[in-house]
Structure formats: C-alpha cells, structure tokens
Amino acid sequence: MTGTDQLDDILDRLRRAGGRITPTRRALVTALLDYDGHPTAEGLAAAVQARRPEVHQTTIYRILDDLERLGVIEHTHLGHGPAVYHLSESAHPHVVCERCGTVIEVGRGAFDALARRLQAEHDFVLHPGHFAVTGRCRHCAVE
Ligand SMILES: [Zn+2]
Ligand SMILES: [Zn+2]
Ligand SMILES: [Zn+2]
C-alpha cells in the first residue's frame, strides 16, 4: 500500500465512523503517517504547523481527541513523559527498558497467554497496548 492509498483508507474509515474530513484532520493523519518513530501530541502539532503555521496547537490537540474517539488513532504511555500516538491499524504493545529507555515494539499477540489467564482467573480484560510493560533490555540486564 502506498502512502496515498493508506491516507485514503484512513480517511475513508474516519468518514464511515461519522467524522468529517477537514484540511487540518487530513494534515494531522498525514503527519502521523510520515512521522518516524513515536510522536507526542507536541511533536504532531509541530509537524502539522511546519506545513500549516496558521493552525493553533489547541486545535490540533482537540483533533487528536476527536480522532481517538472515532477509533482512527490510539495513544500509548511509554514512560513518565507525555503519551505517544499510533494509527489504530498499526498500534502494537511495547516493552520499555526502565534503565536506558529503549522501546521495543512487540507483536499484537505478545500478551495473549497473559490476557487469557487474567480473563479466566479474574474476569479481567487486558489492554496491553495502552501502557508499556517495563523491564530490562538485553544490554541492561547483564550487569
Ligand atoms: Zn492513556
Ligand atoms: Zn536498557
Ligand atoms: Zn509503537
């Protein structure tokens, strides 16, 4: 899928979810598609404002909330800092090294066994993507 197809696909989904496509919403989804890594709200605002300086940061934050409510994007807490955003279709759980901060994106099914166990034993439905699970990375574990 090319970048443009992916953008159209996401905008389609937004429309089907009842959301309007405004130039700023489009600019925000484009910024998220183009972003290399894990953008915070502030990082996304800067990316949108690089092309559309007239857009206020508060407007961008409100659109982030709207898109999240419409199921197009999701936020994740990787640590103590601000949340980061993913497109829902490419969202995944993370593990983070509590010593050096290295972030590892793990497969969607990485917590399946734990999720089944929590469901069976506690009637608890796990959402492993919302917060990162912490531990020690390969380099920090051996000391
Ligand atoms: Zn949250
Ligand atoms: Zn580490
Ligand atoms: Zn990620």
Side-chain angles (χ1 to χ4, degrees):
M1 208 186 266
T2 69
T4 321
D5 285 350
Q6 212 182 345
L7 176 64
D8 287 344
D9 195 56
I10 293 160
L11 295 178
D12 258 7
R13 200 136 32 82
L14 177 56
R15 211 175 285 123
R16 282 201 302 274
R20 280 186 313 128
I21 314 297
T22 64
T24 313
R25 283 182 169 188
R26 175 189 282 269
L28 192 88
V29 173
T30 305
L32 199 48
L33 277 172
D34 290 347
Y35 207 95
D36 197 16
H38 289 107
T40 60
E42 200 180 344
L44 283 170
V48 170
Q49 285 169 334
R51 291 191 204 174
R52 302 172 55 84
E54 74 282 6
V55 179
H56 287 284
Q57 200 176 41
T58 49
T59 307
I60 296 168
Y61 288 6
R62 184 169 40 74
I63 293 175
L64 281 171
D65 286 344
D66 291 344
L67 293 182
E68 183 147 27
R69 207 159 0 88
L70 291 164
V72 173
I73 63 174
E74 289 176 17
H75 75 267
T76 299
H77 307 274
L78 294 179
H80 297 291
V84 299
Y85 288 86
H86 296 87
L87 291 161
S88 297
E89 59 191 12
S90 52
H92 42 255
H94 306 77
V95 295
V96 176
C97 178
E98 59 202 10
R99 192 152 179 270
C100 72
T102 294
V103 176
I104 302 170
E105 303 189 337
V106 298
R108 278 180 193 255
F111 296 99
D112 280 359
L114 177 61
R116 273 195 299 274
R117 181 165 171 179
L118 290 172
Q119 173 82 68
E121 295 180 7
H122 301 281
D123 278 332
F124 184 84
V125 179
L126 188 69
H127 287 163
H130 188 192
F131 284 81
V133 173
T134 59
R136 290 279 175 107
C137 77
R138 178 185 293 138
H139 304 291
C140 299
V142 290
E143 263 177 40

